Amino acid sequence: MGLFAPWFLAGLAGLALPVYLHLLKRQTAKPKAVSSLMHYESRTQSSTRHRRLRYFLLLSLRLLVLLLLILAFANPFVNRNAATLASNRLVLLVVDNSFSMRAGTRLADAKEAAMSVLGAKGPARAQVAAFGSQLHLMTQPIEDQSALRAAVQAIQPGDGHGNFGELSRAVRAMAAAVHTPIELHLFSDMQRGDLAATFSDMALPDNVKLAMHPVVTKAQPNWTVEQVNAPGQVWGKDAKPVHVRAVIAGYGTPAAQRSVSLVVNGKTTATKTVAVPANGRAPVDFPSLEVPYGFSRCEVKIDSADAFPSDDLRRFAVERSDPRKALLIHNYGDNRSPVYVGAALSAAAQSAFILESINVNEAADRKPSNYAFIVLSDVNTVPSILENSLAEYVRSGGSLLIAAGTSAGARLQIPIFGARIVETRDYSRVPDRYMAVGSSDSSYPSVAKADGWLGVRFFYALHVDPGDARVIVRLGDQTPLLMEKHIGEGRIVLLATGLDNLTNDFPLHPAFVPFIEQTALYLAGSEHQGGARPVDAYLELRNARGQAQGVEVTDPEGKRPLTLGEAASAQSFQLTEAGYYQLRLADGRNNEIGVNPDPKESNLDVIPDDVLSLWQGKGSEASQQTPASAAAPPAKTPQTFWWYLMLLLFASAVVESILASRYLGTQREE
């Protein structure tokens, strides 16, 4: 027992005050008339009666009130075993359900261990949570054993990648909210790949006690399909053969032969045998992938030879479709840009687009909605009918590439894009006679595979005020060169120079082919068609401006995870399960995606004991490997009872008030 504020005990000196006040009580009597004092003997009157205390019960209550008040301010406490304070601790049971817990009986063993802890927790409140890539609370803090056990049994295996840094962050937020000691029980395979980037990310607050319950104690050998490289789209019935390459990896495995199969829509189309070195990797190639029109569900899988068959395949989706039409509208005297753009599309995009080139005078009778995207190249004047038609095409979700060239220099602004032309810049007059790229956004698709346009020389460009447009590339003098702007539901990409070899040498440079290829795929909305994504990745459903029509998403179980409200407004969607997702996007396109777990989950190596000890805060002591390990001395927790003193003080004050009123009334009557 102790006191949090012992200096308040100095107030005990004030207990003398009620005693002193009671001693000041003087004996009073009314004088009586006597005929003569001669018959009375003269003597000294005793003062004992005047010093005698009266109203002992009232005095005791007043002393008790002062004593309780002083003790309440001193805040006494007693040290009690923290494990026995059921109302002052929270038992948090976290069961790891990441993808690696599918190996063997790991998840079942974790649930069984959690049930044992629930049975021994006593009357304390408990909360059950599942942990994969994020912490998912299964219950509120409750004492109902049946509800807690049902929550543990309801935990299903997941496909996410565990991250102990994310777990620690969630527990830190919980500890700051509940303000009570937390007894954290973690049931996991303690996979080495789940460690955070830095150990500080896994730090736990002082009021959290970590108890680990590993379901395995050593690494297990495992083979897996680590990676698959395959295109998401092929075009036409006479398209070039599609090449598929896979990487087979072994973790803690001996050298072995593995049989690898390519499966298309549930049918095995090719099988090869590959020699995987001990604890190493081996590539395997399939030179020809034959898929029918539409979306095909494809897999690369190996023969199962370990206790973790769930990672013996990787999924991807491939769409075969006819080439899409693209339209290039150029100036009447421009014969260069159609040649360069057409050659780049034919060389890079695997015949994904059929380019139709016409001059501006022939474009009035074309219907823009028939084309995947449209290019305006070096057009000096745009007829109002064509301009209105292209503007409506963009607002309805179409895409447009505008190459300004030299003809637009006489205008005040870029048509449809709406940017004001500040001035024309002729770099043939500067000392170097050209201007190179100064900065670029490498995350933009048109720039990502073009090496930042290194070595490209620009002789002429328009200085355009970008306004609210996104600037992707700037020249060395900070002139905006490549910009993007969203108008309505569509987008426009503006190149402030030409697509010929007069305003620059870009068409003669190797970076021109990937620029045209990626720009075409981006404008046509095909840059993310088919293919594969990792679990927990986000898929863009709409462009930055959003669209009013709904989006349909079907998960691998055939369910629709989005509500009607979310389908009408969601900008992105998180892929939380492994399997195939079907999507009808906001622009009317259909898509299918193969989703795979993180390859890190296939490495079943465990965290070393010394690292686990540091995480538990035990220093060099041995970490708790099993629930039967020797327990540390029980921690003591100070428990204050000043609140009970205040309740007793209030009751004493009420009784003192009643007695004081009674005694004062008696005195007045006397």
Side-chain angles (χ1 to χ4, degrees), residues 431-451:
D432 292 335
R433 304 184 66 83
Y434 71 90
M435 186 64 63
V437 171
S439 61
S440 61
D441 183 356
S442 59
S443 65
Y444 194 73
S446 300
V447 182
K449 295 184 179 180
D451 297 328

Side-chain angles (χ1 to χ4, degrees), residues 75-90:
N75 198 3
F77 67 89
V78 292
N79 286 321
R80 298 184 61 185
N81 188 349
T84 62
L85 298 177
S87 61
N88 196 35
R89 69 180 176 122
L90 173 64

Side-chain angles (χ1 to χ4, degrees), residues 8-22 57-76 645-646 648-654 656-657:
F8 278 103
L9 293 181
L12 292 175
L15 294 177
L17 180 61
V19 178
Y20 176 72
L21 293 177
H22 276 248
L57 182 58
L58 180 61
L59 175 61
S60 300
L61 287 173
R62 288 174 175 173
L63 292 175
L64 180 61
V65 168
L66 286 177
L67 178 62
L68 292 175
L69 184 62
I70 294 170
L71 290 178
F73 276 96
N75 198 3
L645 294 176
M646 294 300 294
L648 187 58
L649 172 63
F650 176 75
S652 301
V654 172
E656 189 275 339
S657 178

Side-chain angles (χ1 to χ4, degrees), residues 179-303:
H179 301 291
T180 57
I182 296 179
E183 192 176 297
L184 173 60
H185 292 266
L186 177 59
F187 307 89
S188 171
D189 55 2
M190 302 302 172
Q191 194 177 19
R192 184 190 289 267
D194 292 351
L195 287 173
T198 60
F199 202 78
S200 59
D201 294 337
M202 298 168 55
L204 296 171
D206 295 335
N207 63 332
V208 176
K209 178 184 177 182
L210 175 61
M212 298 182 185
H213 305 268
V215 295
V216 293
T217 57
K218 62 179 181 179
Q220 296 178 342
N222 181 47
W223 285 278
T224 182
V225 182
E226 185 179 56
Q227 182 181 353
V228 174
N229 291 326
Q233 280 187 300
V234 293
W235 293 271
K237 60 182 179 179
D238 298 325
K240 301 177 182 178
V242 177
H243 180 263
V244 177
R245 163 166 282 204
V247 177
I248 312 303
Y251 297 100
T253 55
Q257 299 279 338
R258 292 271 74 84
S259 177
V260 187
S261 301
L262 177 63
V263 181
V264 178
N265 295 325
K267 180 180 179 181
T268 301
T269 60
T271 301
K272 289 190 174 184
T273 301
V274 60
V276 183
N279 196 29
R281 294 172 173 80
V284 58
D285 295 308
F286 295 96
S288 180
L289 173 65
E290 297 293 337
V291 293
Y293 272 84
F295 282 99
S296 295
R297 297 182 174 185
C298 306
E299 298 173 353
V300 173
K301 59 192 306 183
I302 60 175
D303 55 326

Side-chain angles (χ1 to χ4, degrees), residues 450-464:
D451 297 328
W453 299 359
L454 183 64
V456 180
R457 297 181 296 177
F458 295 91
F459 313 119
Y460 177 91
L462 294 181
H463 183 196
V464 176

